[in-house]
Amino acid sequence: MKFRQTKHELDKATIKLTDINQELDNLKRQLDKLRANHETIQKYFEEKEKAYLNSCELVKRYKEQFGNNFADEGFWKDIQNNEVSQLASPWTDKNYDTLREELFYYSLMLQKAFILNSKSVKQNINCLVNIWNGNFSEKDKATSYVHLLNTLFLIVPVVSTTFASVATFLKYIGKNELGTLIIDEAGQATPYSALGALWRTRKAIIVGDPLQVEPVVTIPKELLKRFAKEFEIEGPYSSEESSVQVLADNINPYGGYREYSNGKRWLGCPLVIHRRCLDPMFTISNAVAYNNRMFNRSAEPKSDVVLLMKESLWINIKGREKGAKDHFVSAQGNKAIEMVLEAFALKNDFPSLYIISPFKSVVRNMKSLLKEHICSNFKDFNEDDINDWVDKSCGTIHTFQGKEANEVILILGCDENEGMGAVQWASRKPNILNVAVTRAKYRIAIIGDSSLWRKFPNFDFAYKILSGEMEKTLR
């Protein structure tokens, strides 16, 4: 009996041992599998670690190579307000730029060799000249002109013209028959004036600033409204304030908003690095037109630059305008003449100085006075040269967009009795003041009745900056 019980316990223990051995074998297999997985993971980790270290080394080399042009996470952080990023040209470096310039040079040499050794090029240019001289029939002009003109573009890659001349210059060019159209100062161009040129080219690059001088439209508003209604022209295309730049901005997916007190405007691909003028011109322009979103990188004047003004300023001169829509104030004009004569005497040559105004009547009076006083005070100067300098250096703000001088005298004119409407027009938007102050690279003098102009938007800020009121307030 006892033997049987012992045998039973032994069999039971044997079975349990077998189970334990089986479980142990399973655990060994799992351990072997885990070891294998561990080795695989360890190898994978070592490979990734090696790749990461290589990447870090590569990134370090790229950062050294590209400098601020390396577009890492920090490049995109708050990019609108990140001056370093705005100054950068991502993924370019000196070596890349050098190679690109070399490629461009060799491509020009190849093109030059082709032109000089091609009889067809010479024949086509001769035919083009004959067309311009009227020696071809209308039928021949229609069939050959585009090919002859493209030959000219092979020799002279960029040919400039005006919208007014397009109808004549490109009369025989059909739809999409030319390559690229570049429209400069597009903020001043009316959309309908650009249609012919746009229709004839395959693509266009639109460059301009809708916050500078707007298009000058001579068609009466009421007539524009009637045309738009009759032909069902949508608002953005019928507005007298629409420009080529505004319409181009509207379809540009890349850009940013310029906020106004009563809304906002979308600006396509805005360039926010300013390289034209120093303070206070930059500060005025940046505040009234660009929501203080610009960064100033303008260069200081060189040591040999002779300047009339020690600093920019607002010269407060009251007076009566001539009336009958002539906004010229004699006292302001006399002060401007005094400054111009001093600039001539200081430089003993024609100075880099503009005399500008929002109003044609002021410019007309100033041109007459300038020619008279400069000729009488500087008799050694050639009269034709003086007249030429005055014509180029004195004009309305609208005619000086795109130009710059070391110094600018801005004559505002107007008085409280007869000039209120003119002041309201000039101050309605920041555009006119923005263009005026940014014509000056180093100094600006605004001559005007501060008690009048400081009551109106944009000019109130300019007065605060130039008179020092803003600085006093900050203190």
Side-chain angles (χ1 to χ4, degrees):
M1 188 74 171
K2 191 174 181 179
F3 174 76
R4 264 194 232 158
Q5 184 178 358
T6 302
K7 188 173 184 307
H8 178 70
E9 289 176 356
L10 180 61
D11 291 340
K12 189 176 179 181
T14 302
I15 293 172
K16 189 174 182 180
L17 179 61
T18 302
D19 292 339
I20 290 172
N21 287 334
Q22 189 175 359
E23 185 177 356
L24 184 61
D25 289 340
N26 289 336
L27 290 173
K28 285 181 177 180
R29 282 194 294 273
Q30 290 181 24
L31 180 61
D32 291 340
K33 188 175 181 181
L34 288 172
R35 283 175 175 166
N37 288 342
H38 176 265
E39 290 177 0
T40 302
I41 292 171
Q42 181 69 26
K43 186 177 180 180
Y44 176 81
F45 173 78
E46 290 173 356
E47 290 175 353
K48 292 300 178 184
E49 184 180 37
K50 184 178 180 181
Y52 170 74
L53 294 174
N54 289 338
S55 297
C56 288
E57 185 62 31
L58 195 60
V59 167
K60 183 180 178 181
R61 291 210 314 268
Y62 282 149
K63 282 186 175 181
E64 291 174 354
Q65 177 183 350
F66 293 109
N68 290 334
N69 292 337
F70 183 79
D72 57 3
E73 295 84 355
F75 178 88
W76 303 102
K77 187 176 181 181
D78 192 23
I79 192 168
Q80 291 183 342
N81 300 308
N82 190 334
E83 184 174 0
V84 174
S85 298
Q86 294 294 345
L87 282 166
S89 299
W91 311 122
T92 63
D93 63 357
K94 188 175 181 179
N95 184 52
Y96 173 83
D97 287 337
T98 300
L99 291 173
R100 186 174 61 174
E101 290 169 3
E102 288 181 2
L103 178 62
F104 179 67
Y105 171 78
Y106 287 124
S107 66
L108 287 179
M109 292 301 99
L110 176 62
Q111 191 160 312
K112 179 181 178 180
F114 172 77
I115 292 168
L116 294 177
N117 290 279
S118 172
K119 294 182 179 179
S120 297
V121 169
K122 297 173 185 177
Q123 290 171 352
N124 282 3
I125 294 301
N126 286 331
C127 289
L128 182 61
V129 172
N130 286 329
I131 281 184
W132 287 339
N133 290 334
N135 298 330
F136 273 55
S137 67
E138 290 296 307
K139 181 180 178 181
D140 288 338
K141 289 177 183 178
T143 56
S144 64
Y145 189 65
V146 63
H147 306 293
L148 301 180
L149 195 61
N150 276 318
T151 302
L152 175 65
F153 288 144
L154 184 67
I155 302 171
V156 185
V158 180
V159 175
S160 63
T161 184
T162 62
F163 287 133
S165 301
V166 164
T168 303
F169 177 48
L170 303 180
K171 179 180 179 181
Y172 303 101
I173 303 297
K175 182 180 179 181
N176 293 337
E177 287 189 334
L178 296 180
T180 302
L181 171 69
I182 301 174
I183 302 178
D184 192 20
E185 300 292 0
Q188 285 185 286
T190 54
Y192 50 81
S193 66
L195 280 177
L198 288 167
W199 181 77
R200 291 174 168 89
T201 49
R202 289 189 286 275
K203 59 183 178 180
I205 299 172
I206 311 297
V207 184
D209 186 350
L211 298 173
Q212 293 196 12
V213 172
E214 296 177 309
V216 176
V217 180
T218 56
I219 302 173
K221 284 186 179 182
E222 190 58 35
L223 195 57
L224 281 173
K225 290 179 181 178
R226 290 191 180 185
F227 276 134
K229 184 177 181 180
E230 182 177 348
F231 295 100
E232 299 180 348
I233 301 173
E234 297 179 7
Y237 301 97
S238 62
S239 171
E240 64 173 353
E241 296 176 353
S242 281
S243 66
V244 174
Q245 188 64 51
V246 168
L247 297 182
D249 284 348
N250 288 343
I251 61 172
N252 192 339
Y254 306 102
Y257 284 103
R258 193 277 191 198
E259 296 178 356
Y260 296 88
S261 57
N262 58 347
K264 56 185 180 180
R265 167 182 279 179
W266 177 260
L267 302 177
C269 296
L271 302 179
V272 299
I273 301 300
H274 183 91
R275 301 183 187 275
R276 180 185 289 273
C277 54
L278 303 176
D279 276 329
M281 292 77 70
F282 169 76
T283 296
I284 295 171
S285 171
N286 197 26
V288 302
Y290 304 109
N291 287 146
N292 290 311
R293 295 281 294 278
M294 303 280 282
F295 301 101
N296 194 4
R297 284 284 170 163
S298 303
E300 292 285 340
K302 295 180 179 179
S303 58
D304 60 345
V305 173
V306 178
L307 297 174
L308 166 67
M309 297 171 252
K310 292 182 179 179
E311 60 181 3
S312 297
L313 72 166
W314 183 298
I315 302 174
N316 179 32
I317 298 179
K318 298 173 69 73
R320 293 290 300 274
E321 66 173 64
K322 287 189 173 183
K325 295 186 179 180
D326 188 335
H327 305 298
F328 180 69
V329 176
S330 295
Q332 296 177 8
N334 292 336
K335 180 61 180 177
I337 292 294
E338 177 189 324
M339 296 176 69
V340 171
L341 294 179
E342 187 179 344
F344 268 80
L346 187 66
K347 191 172 175 60
N348 196 29
D349 198 355
F350 293 101
S352 176
L353 174 67
Y354 288 158
I355 305 92
I356 60 176
S357 175
F359 310 112
K360 291 181 179 178
S361 58
V362 174
V363 169
R364 184 173 59 252
N365 282 277
M366 282 305 304
K367 281 190 173 183
S368 176
L369 289 172
L370 283 167
K371 290 176 181 179
E372 176 188 344
H373 283 81
I374 296 172
C375 285
S376 62
N377 283 273
F378 296 91
K379 296 181 179 179
D380 291 340
F381 284 54
N382 182 277
E383 185 175 346
D384 290 336
D385 292 340
I386 291 174
N387 292 337
D388 184 57
W389 181 87
V390 171
D391 289 335
K392 290 180 179 179
S393 301
C394 181
T396 61
I397 293 168
H398 288 75
T399 60
F400 274 73
Q401 179 162 321
K403 302 176 183 179
E404 62 180 28
N406 290 347
E407 300 176 283
V408 166
I409 299 173
L410 171 60
I411 308 172
L412 297 178
C414 299
D415 63 29
E416 291 184 347
N417 296 322
E418 299 188 53
M420 294 295 285
V423 177
Q424 289 173 347
W425 168 81
S427 60
R428 184 171 58 94
K429 291 183 177 181
N431 302 54
I432 288 178
L433 179 61
N434 181 31
V435 175
V437 297
T438 53
R439 297 315 92 199
K441 293 168 64 177
Y442 307 128
R443 303 285 189 272
I444 188 168
I446 298 181
I447 303 177
D449 181 355
S450 62
S451 64
L452 169 62
W453 286 89
R454 65 190 295 188
K455 297 175 183 176
F456 291 85
N458 304 313
F459 287 91
D460 59 343
F461 183 80
Y463 176 76
K464 288 178 181 178
I465 293 295
L466 293 173
S467 67
E469 275 194 13
M470 183 68 73
E471 185 178 346
K472 293 172 186 175
T473 302
L474 292 174
R475 286 177 183 173

